[in-house]
Amino acid sequence: MCGMPQQPPVRSTPTRASRPDASMSLLTNVMDHSLDDGYAEAAARKKASGDGGMPKTLRAKLGLAAGLVLAALVVTVGAAQARVAAPAVAKEREELIDRIDRETESADKLEDSVDELRDDVGARQREALRKTGHSDQTALLGLLAGSTEVRGPGVKLVVDDAKEATTEGEGDPRETSGFSDTGRVRDRDMQRVVNGLWESGAEAVSINGQRLTTLSAIRAAGDAILVDNKPLVPPYTVLAVGDGDGMSTRFQNSADGLYLHALQENFGIRTAISVEDDLRLPAAPSVTVRTAQPKTEKGTS
C-alpha cells in the first residue's frame, strides 16, 4: 500500500455500433412498421366484426336493392291474388244487383196492390155513404169524411221556409228556443194554419194535394212534415174551400192568422194568401167513417 502508486479510476466509454447505419435505426423502424398499434387494433376489431372491409355506401345500396325487390314481390303477389279474386267478386256483385232488382220489383207490385185495395175500400165506403140517409145528408157526410172530391171558391195559402233556412251557422233565424229552432216551417205551424182555416169557415182543406179530414194528423219526422203519415216538402200549398173573401178576412184577423204573420215578420217565414174563384180538392185516399149517437140521461144511447 505504501510503495505502490495510486491509479485513477478507469471510466468506461460507450462503444460505437458495429453497423455503419446505426444512426438511421428510427427511420428504418418507421419504414418497417407503417401502422402503429392503435391502427392495427382497430383493423383487427373491424375484421372480427365481419365487415370485411365493405364500404358503407355499397351496403346501403345493397339494402335498398333488397327492399325494392321485396316490395316488387309483394305488389306482384297482391296483383296476382286480385286477378284471381276478381271473377268471384264480380259474380257476387252481379248476384247482389239481381237480388236488389227482384226485391224492388216485388216491392213495386206490393205497393200497386196496396193502392188498388185502398181505392177499392174507398169506393165501397163512398157507396155506403151514398146509400145512407137522404142525399143532402149523404153529401154532407161525404164532405166531412173527405170521401168525395170538392170544387168551389175558397182561399189559397202558401207557406214556405225562410230564405236563410237553407244556410247553416249564425244566419239561421228563429234561433230562440222559446219560439222555434230555425227558419223552417214546423208541423205545429201547419197545425195552427189548418185549425185557423177550419175555424174561419173552411168546408174542405188540403195540403199539397193531400186531403184532410176530421181524423187527419199533422206530425213531424225530423225536418219533414207528415200529413196522415205521408211526407210533404215545402212550399206548403193549403187550399180551403168556402166563402173566399169572408174566410180570408176572418183567418187573417184570428189568433192563428196573427201567429202566421208573426212568423213572417220576425223569422222570415214566407206566406202568401189569395182568394180563388175555383178550387179543386181531391178525395181522401183512405176514408174512416165513425158515427156518434146522443147520450141519454141514463148514460146509454
Side-chain angles (χ1 to χ4, degrees), residues 188-235:
R188 56 181 173 270
D189 302 332
M190 297 308 300
Q191 289 172 3
R192 295 202 60 168
V193 167
V194 171
N195 289 334
L197 289 173
W198 285 122
E199 186 178 359
S200 300
E203 300 174 1
V205 179
S206 68
I207 302 178
N208 287 10
Q210 181 70 24
R211 178 72 176 275
L212 301 182
T213 68
T214 55
L215 300 177
S216 295
I218 301 176
R219 295 290 183 265
D223 289 333
I225 294 179
L226 306 181
V227 174
D228 292 336
N229 294 324
K230 291 188 176 181
L232 305 181
V233 295

Side-chain angles (χ1 to χ4, degrees), residues 137-297:
Q137 184 180 4
T138 302
L140 179 60
L141 288 175
L143 179 65
L144 296 177
S147 62
T148 58
E149 297 182 359
V150 178
R151 180 177 180 179
V155 170
K156 178 181 179 181
L157 176 62
V158 180
V159 184
D160 198 0
D161 295 336
K163 293 182 179 180
E164 296 83 358
T166 57
T167 61
E168 297 180 357
E170 298 179 355
D172 289 343
R174 302 180 72 186
E175 293 179 342
T176 56
S177 58
F179 195 83
S180 190
D181 300 328
T182 66
R184 298 184 183 276
V185 178
R186 299 298 184 181
D187 57 330
R188 56 181 173 270
D189 302 332
M190 297 308 300
Q191 289 172 3
R192 295 202 60 168
V193 167
V194 171
N195 289 334
L197 289 173
W198 285 122
E199 186 178 359
S200 300
E203 300 174 1
V205 179
S206 68
I207 302 178
N208 287 10
Q210 181 70 24
R211 178 72 176 275
L212 301 182
T213 68
T214 55
L215 300 177
S216 295
I218 301 176
R219 295 290 183 265
D223 289 333
I225 294 179
L226 306 181
V227 174
D228 292 336
N229 294 324
K230 291 188 176 181
L232 305 181
V233 295
Y236 305 101
T237 301
V238 184
L239 301 180
V241 172
D243 180 10
D245 293 326
M247 182 167 48
S248 175
T249 301
R250 287 190 295 269
F251 173 76
Q252 295 184 68
N253 293 332
S254 66
D256 298 318
L258 295 177
Y259 171 86
L260 188 61
H261 182 72
L263 297 184
Q264 180 180 10
E265 292 294 326
N266 299 326
F267 305 103
I269 298 297
R270 291 170 287 180
T271 65
I273 188 171
S274 60
V275 178
E276 303 292 334
D277 294 332
D278 188 14
L279 296 176
R280 293 187 178 185
L281 277 63
S286 179
V287 179
T288 301
V289 180
R290 295 180 180 178
T291 59
Q293 296 180 355
K295 186 177 180 181
T296 62
E297 295 180 356

